[in-house]
């Protein structure tokens, strides 16, 4: 392309490996799970070091500090001092899209070190990869690395800090080393889009998906037409 020309990609399973670099993601996970970070428990020197590292990552990716600051401190119910690290991609919209991932973990308990690769170095690595791709998208996006996830105080502090949120994407436990419960089961990815579907019986969705040999299956609920603007509209054929 010509100098200064911006090339945009539509990420798909076929080209994802050319857009999101596995070695970059692995390097992020390796750092977050290293003994130097101590497991990243809230209020520990390891968590503070990771917060400073995240600030530098945001800066290198071209993000802007939210409300003039990268660090947004809060106190937990147990008296610990936590730090949410917030970076902004400015945009033209009036409401924010928030992409969040908690970076804290258990730390060291009873002499055992918990590195937290799945919970939640995997989510932080994915969040940083997205931050590097969404610049120039036109949307105002806040990237939130959240501390103290177990008691919810980090998320509560984030909610109090940001107003005018259009939607939230929470990246949590995107990978793991545990073997499947039943080795003969196939792997599926289920994406949940709202609180109203968390009580669904997902086994029926998977059964329908396999029965129809689908590439992808979408489950929706019926709502009154006057509420459709809140949920969106999907048209189905005679076979659903």
């Amino acid at each position: 392309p010509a100098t200064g020309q911006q090339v945009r990609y539509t990420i798909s399973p076929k080209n994802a490996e050319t857009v999101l670099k596995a070695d970059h993601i692995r390097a992020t996970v390796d750092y977050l799970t290293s003994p130097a970070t101590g497991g990243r428990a809230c209020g520990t020197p390891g968590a503070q070091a990771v917060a400073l590292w995240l600030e530098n990552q945001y800066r290198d990716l071209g993000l802007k500090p939210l409300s003039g600051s990268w660090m947004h401190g809060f106190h937990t119910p147990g008296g610990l001092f936590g730090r949410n690290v917030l970076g902004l991609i400015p945009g033209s919209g009036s409401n924010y899209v928030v992409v969040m991932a908690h970076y804290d973990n258990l730390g060291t308990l009873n002499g055992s070190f918990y590195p937290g690769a799945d919970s939640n170095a995997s989510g932080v690595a994915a969040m940083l990869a997205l931050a590097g791709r969404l610049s120039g998208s036109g949307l105002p996006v806040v990237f939130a690395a959240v501390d103290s996830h177990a008691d919810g105080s980090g998320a509560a502090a984030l909610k109090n800090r940001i107003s005018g949120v259009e939607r939230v994407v929470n990246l949590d436990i995107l990978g793991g080393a545990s073997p499947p419960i039943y080795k003969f089961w196939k792997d599926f990815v289920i994406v949940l889009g709202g609180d109203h579907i968390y009580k669904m019986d997902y086994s029926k969705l998977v059964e329908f998906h396999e029965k129809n040999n689908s590439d992808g299956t979408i489950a929706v609920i019926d709502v009154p037409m006057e509420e459709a603007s809140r949920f969106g509209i999907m048209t189905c054929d005679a076979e659903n």
Side-chain angles (χ1 to χ4, degrees):
T3 302
Q5 180 181 351
Q6 186 176 33
V7 178
R8 303 296 299 173
Y9 292 91
T10 299
I11 300 176
S12 71
K14 293 182 178 179
N15 71 358
E17 70 278 3
T18 68
V19 178
L20 304 177
K21 301 297 184 181
D23 54 342
H24 294 169
I25 294 175
R26 179 175 292 278
T28 296
V29 173
D30 285 346
Y31 166 70
L32 293 173
T33 58
S34 67
T37 68
R40 314 183 307 280
C42 180
T44 64
Q48 182 179 0
V50 169
L52 292 170
W53 178 84
L54 286 164
E55 176 182 322
N56 289 328
Q57 296 301 303
Y58 284 173
R59 187 180 288 109
D60 291 344
L61 289 168
L63 274 62
K64 306 298 182 184
L66 185 70
S67 301
S69 178
W70 300 104
M71 300 281 187
H72 297 262
F74 61 91
H75 287 93
T76 71
L80 299 175
F81 185 76
R83 299 169 178 83
N84 290 340
V85 190
L86 310 182
L88 171 67
I89 293 178
S92 57
S94 58
N95 293 324
Y96 294 114
V97 173
V98 177
V99 179
M100 62 183 289
H102 76 84
Y103 68 89
D104 67 305
N105 188 44
L106 298 175
T108 301
L109 298 176
N110 299 321
S112 297
F113 170 57
Y114 293 86
D118 52 355
S119 179
N120 186 34
S122 61
V124 173
M127 183 186 69
L128 293 175
L130 284 173
R133 294 301 309 165
L134 292 180
S135 179
S137 64
L139 295 172
V141 184
V142 174
F143 290 89
V146 178
D147 200 359
S148 191
H149 78 286
D151 62 10
S153 57
L158 176 64
K159 182 179 179 181
N160 293 333
R161 176 66 61 178
I162 306 175
S163 59
V165 175
E166 180 176 337
R167 66 194 63 183
V168 175
V169 179
N170 183 34
L171 303 172
D172 193 4
I173 310 183
L174 302 185
S178 299
I181 299 175
Y182 302 107
K183 294 183 179 180
F184 56 84
W185 278 11
K186 298 179 180 178
D187 289 331
F188 298 98
V189 176
I190 299 178
V191 180
L192 307 179
D195 291 342
H196 60 285
I197 64 172
Y198 287 148
K199 295 182 180 180
M200 287 177 56
D201 183 353
Y202 306 127
S203 65
K204 296 180 180 179
L205 175 65
V206 173
E207 181 181 353
F208 180 90
H209 177 86
E210 290 198 285
K211 179 181 177 181
N212 291 275
N213 194 27
S214 302
D215 292 326
T217 300
I218 301 174
V220 297
I221 61 173
D222 293 326
V223 297
M225 182 58 72
E226 57 269 20
E227 295 187 18
S229 62
R230 296 174 52 226
F231 294 96
I233 299 174
M234 189 176 80
T235 303
C236 300
D237 61 19
E239 298 181 352
N240 291 321

